[in-house]
């Protein structure tokens, strides 16, 4: 089968990871890179591919079958639209855009160009998340009652040297980090109808929060909480507990707990707690714990496998532009609630882009 020819737009930290993965993949090849910073040419030289001066030049000269957009968030939509205008399928890094209104713009562009957009919520490709979803969605826990997610770790001081990371809009754990947790919770537990959130900057005193507490009401009636902080030496976060990214300290702990009427599940160790078959229910009776086995695999690599199939027309995007916009709308509702102290409705940030243009 002919290799899928892919281009990477934005050759920073994430774009370089994508480019290296493409070069190691047997189903696709890297045909070129572009970056607004000419110094990033060194990535193209190291990988032995052309470095072009503009997105248009890359698309017109290399004519890729698909493109990966790994620019800063504000550039996702204009760059992706350049690809869509040429009917080039695109994988856009998360979050899909920097505002819900921009995300909606991309939803409409993908529809009108009839060209697929895949959003890089790569955790959905992680076999641990896929197995947890099967357990939650296919009844192993009975009816879902609630979920509790903890994201607690310590960002290094040097992280905050970059000014944008200390400022709104753009900085802060909500849009940079918790967008992943919010997307995973939607994927695992379904749509969220209301949120109520508090944010605190009490530790660092920066313009951006260092901690958040989020209450969620799911459409199904299940309830959820997310407690998040990037300023604590704690061992409970997706990054630390899944070991997905070797850059992070690894701790074999759980960071999400799912509660159902027939059992409960701790993630990512996938520990399923239930009453043994045929035994009575009640708090005085013992539960048994069973660990569900999963073979680990790199979700970024699995996402690339999927993107190749999307480009070939064999798969619909697992996370399309509308799905990515829903996750962004949920983050926007969390921001609204944390700023106003009032509950907020995620759908209000999706339905009418003209009222959803607040930058996060
Ligand atoms: N999936 C994940 O877990 C994950 C992790 C990190 C970052 N990301 C996402 O990846 C994206 C990039 O993040 P990063 O950490 O690599 O940032 P980065 O700053 O390291 O890289 C971005 C690059 O894009 C270039 N650029 C800016 N505007 C451009 C344009 N119009 N055309 C071409 N190049 C342009 C910059 O010069 C820079 O080199 C962000 O959207 C971020 O949210 C995702």
């Amino acid at each position: 089968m002919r290799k899928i020819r892919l281009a990477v737009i934005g050759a920073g930290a994430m774009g370089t990871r994508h480019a290296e993965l493409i070069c190691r993949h047997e189903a696709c090849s890297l045909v070129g890179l572009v970056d607004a910073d000419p110094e990033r040419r060194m990535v193209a030289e190291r990988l032995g591919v052309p470095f072009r001066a503009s997105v248009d030049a890359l698309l017109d000269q290399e004519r890729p079958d698909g493109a990966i957009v790994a620019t800063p968030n504000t550039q996702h939509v204009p760059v992706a639209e350049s690809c869509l205008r040429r009917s080039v399928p695109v994988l856009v890094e998360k979050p899909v855009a920097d505002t819900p209104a921009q995300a909606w713009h991309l939803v409409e562009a993908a529809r009108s160009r009839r060209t697929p957009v895949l959003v890089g919520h790569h955790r959905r490709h992680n076999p641990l998340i896929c197995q947890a979803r099967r357990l939650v969605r296919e009844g192993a826990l009975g009816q879902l009652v609630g979920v509790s997610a903890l994201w607690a770790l310590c960002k290094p001081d040097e992280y905050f040297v970059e000014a944008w990371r200390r400022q709104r809009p753009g900085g802060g754990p909500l849009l940079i980090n918790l967008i992943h947790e919010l997307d995973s919770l939607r994927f695992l537990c379904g749509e969220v109808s209301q949120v109520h959130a508090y944010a605190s900057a009490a530790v660092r005193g920066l313009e951006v929060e260092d901690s958040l507490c989020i209450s969620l009401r799911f459409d199904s009636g299940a309830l959820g909480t997310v407690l998040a902080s990037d300023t604590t030496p704690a061992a409970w976060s997706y990054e630390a507990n899944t070991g997905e990214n070797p850059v992070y300290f690894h701790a074999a702990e759980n960071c999400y707990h799912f509660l159902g009427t027939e059992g409960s599940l701790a993630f990512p160790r996938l520990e399923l707690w239930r009453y043994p078959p045929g035994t009575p229910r009640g708090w005085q009776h013992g539960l048994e714990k069973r660990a569900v086995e999963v073979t680990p695999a790199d979700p970024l690599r699995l996402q690339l496998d999927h993107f190749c199939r999307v480009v070939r027309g064999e798969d619909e995007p697992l996370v399309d532009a509308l799905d990515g916009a829903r996750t962004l709308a949920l983050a926007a509702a969390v921001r609204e609630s944390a700023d106003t102290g009032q509950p907020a409705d995620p759908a209000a940030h999706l339905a009418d882009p003209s009222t959803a243009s607040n930058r996060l």
Side-chain angles (χ1 to χ4, degrees):
M1 200 184 288
R2 185 178 78 83
K3 283 192 172 192
I4 298 286
R5 303 172 67 259
L6 296 179
V8 171
I9 301 172
M14 205 57 203
T16 301
R17 280 183 79 188
H18 284 300
E20 289 171 349
L21 261 181
I22 293 168
C23 290
R24 290 198 299 271
H25 200 289
E26 62 286 350
C28 52
S29 60
L30 183 66
V31 297
L33 291 173
V34 60
D35 196 291
D37 177 357
E39 294 205 351
R40 302 307 291 167
R41 172 183 290 275
M42 63 183 184
V43 181
E45 285 173 357
R46 180 166 58 80
L47 298 175
V49 296
F51 182 83
R52 298 297 178 202
S54 70
V55 174
D56 288 343
L58 177 73
L59 296 173
D60 291 339
Q61 291 176 36
E62 306 310 330
R63 297 184 166 274
D65 300 320
I68 298 183
V69 178
T71 57
N73 303 342
T74 54
Q75 296 297 304
H76 284 183
V77 173
V79 168
E81 283 188 312
S82 296
C83 300
L84 295 178
R85 273 197 296 278
R86 293 165 173 86
S87 301
V88 173
V90 63
L91 191 173
V92 182
E93 260 304 340
K94 65 80 208 166
V96 60
D98 62 334
T99 68
Q102 278 284 297
W104 195 257
H105 212 63
L106 190 62
V107 170
E108 307 252 275
R111 271 189 199 142
S112 68
R113 300 301 309 186
R114 296 174 191 275
T115 302
V117 171
L118 172 67
V119 184
H121 284 294
H122 68 274
R123 291 185 186 179
R124 293 202 198 186
H125 301 270
N126 190 317
L128 291 164
I129 287 279
C130 297
Q131 181 61 272
R133 187 172 194 261
R134 276 191 289 275
L135 292 166
V136 171
R137 295 282 182 120
E138 294 174 12
L141 309 184
Q143 180 187 341
L144 186 67
V145 174
V147 57
S148 167
L150 193 51
W151 183 82
L153 42 61
C154 191
K155 283 182 176 165
D157 291 343
E158 56 269 25
Y159 177 92
F160 295 96
V161 170
E162 294 275 354
W164 70 268
R165 292 180 169 151
R166 304 192 297 269
Q167 295 160 358
R168 288 174 60 179
L174 174 60
L175 194 58
I176 296 176
N177 310 104
L178 296 185
I179 190 93
H180 282 300
E181 322 301 317
L182 295 174
D183 185 71
S184 296
L185 290 178
R186 283 188 55 239
F187 187 57
L188 291 160
C189 304
E191 295 300 340
V192 174
S193 53
Q194 197 173 59
V195 304
H196 202 144
Y198 295 98
S200 166
V203 176
R204 291 200 192 87
L206 299 176
E207 189 179 313
V208 297
E209 69 281 351
D210 40 58
S211 306
L212 286 123
C213 167
I214 308 168
S215 297
L216 306 159
R217 184 198 297 279
F218 292 90
D219 280 357
S220 66
L223 302 176
T225 64
V226 180
L227 179 61
S229 178
D230 66 13
T231 187
T232 172
W236 305 287
S237 66
Y238 181 95
E239 289 86 339
N241 301 155
T242 61
E244 184 183 285
N245 185 339
V247 166
Y248 290 83
F249 157 76
H250 180 241
E253 301 281 339
N254 289 306
C255 54
Y256 302 164
H257 291 87
F258 299 89
L259 314 176
T261 52
E262 301 301 322
S264 50
L265 177 71
F267 175 93
R269 293 174 65 82
L270 296 180
E271 292 160 350
L272 194 52
W273 291 85
R274 288 193 287 203
Y275 290 113
T279 63
R281 293 167 65 92
W283 61 25
Q284 71 276 39
H285 297 297
L287 293 160
E288 71 177 10
K289 180 172 83 171
R290 177 169 74 85
V292 178
E293 293 292 323
V294 166
T295 306
D298 175 8
L300 275 181
R301 155 81 201 209
L302 294 173
Q303 178 180 257
L304 184 56
D305 295 346
H306 172 61
F307 185 51
C308 289
R309 292 193 298 274
V310 168
V311 171
R312 286 190 204 284
E314 295 166 3
D315 278 1
E316 292 294 318
L318 177 65
V319 193
D320 64 12
L322 179 58
D323 209 347
R326 286 189 196 284
T327 294
L328 187 64
L330 177 52
V334 171
R335 169 59 64 215
E336 179 197 333
S337 178
D339 287 349
T340 63
Q342 300 300 314
D345 175 3
H349 289 268
L350 187 69
D352 179 4
S354 63
T355 62
S357 57
N358 290 337
R359 295 173 73 91
L360 286 156

